[in-house]
Structure formats: C-alpha cells, structure tokens
C-alpha cells in the first residue's frame, strides 16, 4: 500500500471518504433510511472482488439468519451490523486494504467479555460449516 504525504494509504483515505459519505447519506434518507442502508450493504458486497464477495455473502447470510434484529449498514464502505445504533460486528475485505486475509470483527457493543482477554477480530480466508457455526454462536452471544 502506498502512503500519501498525510500519512494515510490510498485505501485508508478511500475508506474515510466512504465513511463521510455514509454519515451524510444517513442524514438525508428519511422514511426509507433502513431499506436504503440495507441496500447499500448489498451493493458494497456485490462490488467486492470474487473471493471477498463470497466470504461477505456467507457472513451476511449468517448474521441475517442468527440475528435478524440487527440493522444492516455500511461502515467505512464495508458491511456492518448494528444494535441500538451501535456497531456490533463488521466484515473487512482483504482486497479493499490489500491485506493477506479478510476480517470479521466485533466492536465494544458486542457482549463477548470472557475473563480478562478474548478475541474480537478473526482472520478469514475461507468459511467451512464449522467456521460458520462458530461465528454464528459468537454473533448470538454478542447480541445478548
């Protein structure tokens, strides 16, 4: 990744620009806000390169199934899932940031606390049925 003169990579700058657009769009969506935000997630997934798109589609279907109460929105241009207006979990595509693996992560609103140390972000290169079951359980726990 190339770093620009202000210290951010081109990919990081694009993500910040996407986030600013998300905030601006959310202010002006009116009564169809939730539907528009959910469609933005589907559009973001569809725009991903094949490998990332396959992972994102599986994770989106999983989160939608195990936690239908979550709101779907993009977050820095990536699929994310919110509870009570707070981000709960998200997908970060490998191709977007030119990294070796995609990530599925949980934020502070997730109720994953387990002792003094617990995982909140997972590297994802493929998703077996066992992997999906494990992530599904974590999403259920995170929702509370």
């Amino acid at each position: 990744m190339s770093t620009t003169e202000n210290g951010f990579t081109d990919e990081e700058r694009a993500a910040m620009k996407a986030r600013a657009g998300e905030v601006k769009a959310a202010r002006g969506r009116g009564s169809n806000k939730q539907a528009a935000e959910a469609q933005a997630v589907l559009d973001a997934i569809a725009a991903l390169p094949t490998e990332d798109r396959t992972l994102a589609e599986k994770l989106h279907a999983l989160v939608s199934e195990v936690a239908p109460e979550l709101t779907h929105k993009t977050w820095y241009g990536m699929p994310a899932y919110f509870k009570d207006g707070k981000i709960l979990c998200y997908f970060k595509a490998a191709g977007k940031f030119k990294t070796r693996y995609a990530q599925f992560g949980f934020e502070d609103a997730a109720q994953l606390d387990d002792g003094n140390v617990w995982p909140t972000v997972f590297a994802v290169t493929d998703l077996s049925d066992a992997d999906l079951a494990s992530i599904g359980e974590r999403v259920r726990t995170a929702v509370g």
Side-chain angles (χ1 to χ4, degrees):
M1 289 191 277
S2 61
T3 302
T4 60
E5 60 188 58
N6 67 4
F8 293 105
T9 65
D10 293 337
E11 294 79 14
E12 290 168 331
R13 292 188 61 178
M16 290 185 285
K17 186 176 180 180
R19 182 66 186 132
E22 292 160 1
V23 170
K24 183 178 179 182
R27 282 187 237 143
R29 287 199 173 124
S31 62
N32 292 327
K33 179 179 175 181
Q34 196 167 15
E37 290 171 337
Q39 185 60 50
V41 169
L42 296 176
D43 294 345
I45 291 170
L48 294 172
T50 303
E51 289 181 20
D52 285 328
R53 183 175 58 247
T54 300
L55 296 173
E57 287 171 345
K58 288 180 181 182
L59 290 165
H60 181 74
L62 175 71
V63 172
S64 297
E65 178 184 324
V66 302
E69 67 272 28
L70 296 182
T71 303
H72 304 180
K73 301 180 188 181
T74 55
W75 188 54
Y76 294 95
M78 293 284 93
Y81 308 90
F82 290 70
K83 178 181 177 184
D84 301 328
K86 295 180 181 178
I87 185 165
L88 193 77
C89 54
Y90 62 90
F91 175 76
K92 181 178 169 186
K96 183 169 179 103
F97 295 98
K98 298 179 183 169
T99 58
R100 192 173 64 123
Y101 49 80
Q103 297 177 5
F104 187 77
F106 296 89
E107 287 294 310
D108 291 348
Q111 299 177 16
L112 296 176
D113 304 41
D114 184 20
N116 294 323
V117 178
W118 59 89
T120 59
V121 179
F122 298 89
V124 182
T125 58
D126 198 6
L127 289 165
S128 68
D129 289 342
D131 298 328
L132 289 168
S134 175
I135 291 170
E137 282 305 310
R138 290 184 190 280
V139 170
R140 283 184 193 95
T141 300
V143 171

